[in-house]
Amino acid sequence: LLIDTSQRRRWLRHETKDQVTFDEIAAIAHVVDMPLRVPDTADAKTGLRPLDLLTDLDAMAHAVSGGNRSGKSTFGTDAWLPYRWLLRGGAGRMFRLLGPVRAQAHILANKLFGMEGDKPGSFPPVLIESLPTSRFAQEQTVRLVDGTEMQMTHAKSAGHLKGVSVQDTLWTEVTECKHPEVYTVTLARHADTGGQVYLDSTPKKGHWMEPMVTETMAEEPGKDDGRRPAVVALSMRTIDNPWIDPDEVIDARAAAMKIDPTMAKREFDGEWIGGAPLIFSEVWKPETAILDLPGGAGGGPDLAALGLR
């Protein structure tokens, strides 16, 4: 990628007709290295890998569920969003960092731009033109030297997300966001840009994100009807996180299993399971076990019609 910082213009080599001139300019340009860190793991059930999501530019949404500290948000900030900026950034392009509250969007920004603390962000400082003066400033936008804007905001409601086109969205802790309308509106913001949404969260049974993940994972492998997929789902386990000590995870998971196996499988293995086991779940059939009484509750049900009194 070549960036003219004075004119806020950019060129990708594989899209440039005159690659000879591109190479001549690149030879004398200031070189900025921007490594992308991608965990070398795979979904235990589907075999899908983080690298598959990184290079998939077709699906409307990538739903990444996983245990605590499984690396799902780190993958989003260390590779997924930077890679899409490399390919699709530029003047007039807006990317969005989204969280249940704006403070969690700031956590994403800290990982991306090193806004707080000494740890460097995924974006080298030379690529950053301006940062918000503080987390309490009215405008919460990071501007890059090529004219790209990265907006930090919340997902408590949908109204403030309307009205602008967004290139790509990085959304963290999705199951803490109650309103599915926010997801619908977010998808609509990418309708004219061809962008994507990255959703990460620890599973929470009954949340609207669950069917996006479980139904996608239940589809037949290789199924293709010629349309671009709406959602690609990936599950990440804490034990597979290459950036933490596996012995710590093994001990913590073993301790959690003694207290609550269901919680342990959700928090460490990223499984979409309930908060408690269901008694007789193998034989319980709501469609046959629950009956509407004739007459209804208001006028007095006709129990005799069911052979009851």
Side-chain angles (χ1 to χ4, degrees):
L1 171 65
L2 272 179
I3 299 175
D4 180 346
T5 57
S6 62
Q7 301 294 324
R8 290 188 173 181
R9 299 178 64 190
R10 64 191 332 256
W11 301 268
L12 287 164
R13 189 180 190 277
H14 70 274
E15 294 180 351
T16 304
K17 294 181 179 179
D18 187 359
Q19 294 185 349
V20 174
T21 300
F22 182 101
D23 292 340
E24 291 175 350
I25 298 174
I28 60 174
H30 174 61
V31 178
V32 180
D33 290 323
M34 188 176 180
L36 307 180
R37 300 197 307 167
V38 184
D40 185 18
T41 60
D43 190 310
K45 294 183 178 180
T46 66
L48 193 69
R49 311 181 74 86
L51 186 61
D52 298 325
L53 261 64
L54 181 71
T55 56
D56 170 37
L57 301 173
D58 296 324
M60 297 171 62
H62 289 157
V64 181
S65 59
N68 284 307
R69 300 182 67 198
S70 61
K72 52 191 181 297
S73 61
T74 300
F75 169 55
T77 55
D78 281 9
W80 192 91
L81 189 67
Y83 186 59
R84 276 146 185 79
W85 168 78
L86 285 166
L87 296 178
R88 306 197 278 225
R93 300 285 178 88
M94 175 185 286
F95 292 72
R96 188 167 272 165
L97 311 179
L98 200 57
V101 295
R102 198 165 65 178
Q104 284 168 303
H106 271 273
I107 294 175
L108 296 177
N110 292 339
K111 292 182 178 181
L112 287 164
F113 311 113
M115 291 176 57
E116 298 177 4
D118 299 327
K119 184 179 179 181
S122 306
F123 283 78
V126 69
L127 296 177
I128 303 171
E129 180 179 282
S130 65
L131 297 168
T133 55
S134 77
R135 65 167 55 202
F136 305 106
Q138 182 174 1
E139 185 180 23
Q140 293 294 306
T141 302
V142 176
R143 290 182 171 81
L144 304 181
V145 294
D146 67 341
T148 301
E149 295 185 351
M150 300 269 185
Q151 181 192 62
M152 293 168 276
T153 188
H154 63 82
K156 291 185 287 186
S157 59
H160 68 291
L161 302 176
K162 301 178 180 180
V164 296
S165 295
V166 178
Q167 184 55 57
D168 294 284
T169 295
L170 186 62
W171 187 352
T172 190
E173 301 296 347
V174 177
T175 54
E176 299 302 320
C177 305
K178 299 180 180 180
H179 306 294
E181 181 190 6
V182 177
Y183 173 65
T184 304
V185 170
T186 298
L187 280 185
R189 296 303 92 204
H190 305 99
D192 59 341
T193 66
Q196 298 170 294
V197 183
Y198 180 97
L199 308 100
D200 81 66
S201 198
T202 301
K204 180 179 289 187
K205 189 69 177 176
H207 188 268
W208 54 262
M209 183 180 174
E210 180 185 7
M212 293 170 49
V213 177
T214 56
E215 291 177 11
T216 300
M217 294 177 67
E219 292 179 357
E220 297 177 9
K223 182 180 180 181
D224 184 9
D225 59 5
R227 297 177 299 175
R228 74 167 183 157
V231 180
V232 174
L234 173 70
S235 181
M236 301 176 71
R237 301 185 304 170
T238 305
I239 191 63
D240 295 327
N241 187 341
W243 298 303
I244 60 176
D245 186 348
D247 290 336
E248 291 185 9
V249 178
I250 292 173
D251 292 343
R253 185 183 184 279
M257 286 291 288
K258 295 178 181 179
I259 301 172
D260 186 342
T262 301
M263 177 271 292
K265 291 179 181 180
R266 183 176 63 244
E267 297 294 326
F268 288 90
D269 301 340
E271 294 188 17
W272 290 87
I273 55 180
L278 296 177
I279 300 175
F280 298 119
S281 61
E282 297 299 320
V283 298
W284 169 252
K285 304 296 181 185
E287 63 273 15
T288 58
I290 299 177
L291 303 176
D292 288 327
L293 295 177
D302 184 6
L303 297 178
L306 299 176
L308 302 174
R309 62 185 180 89

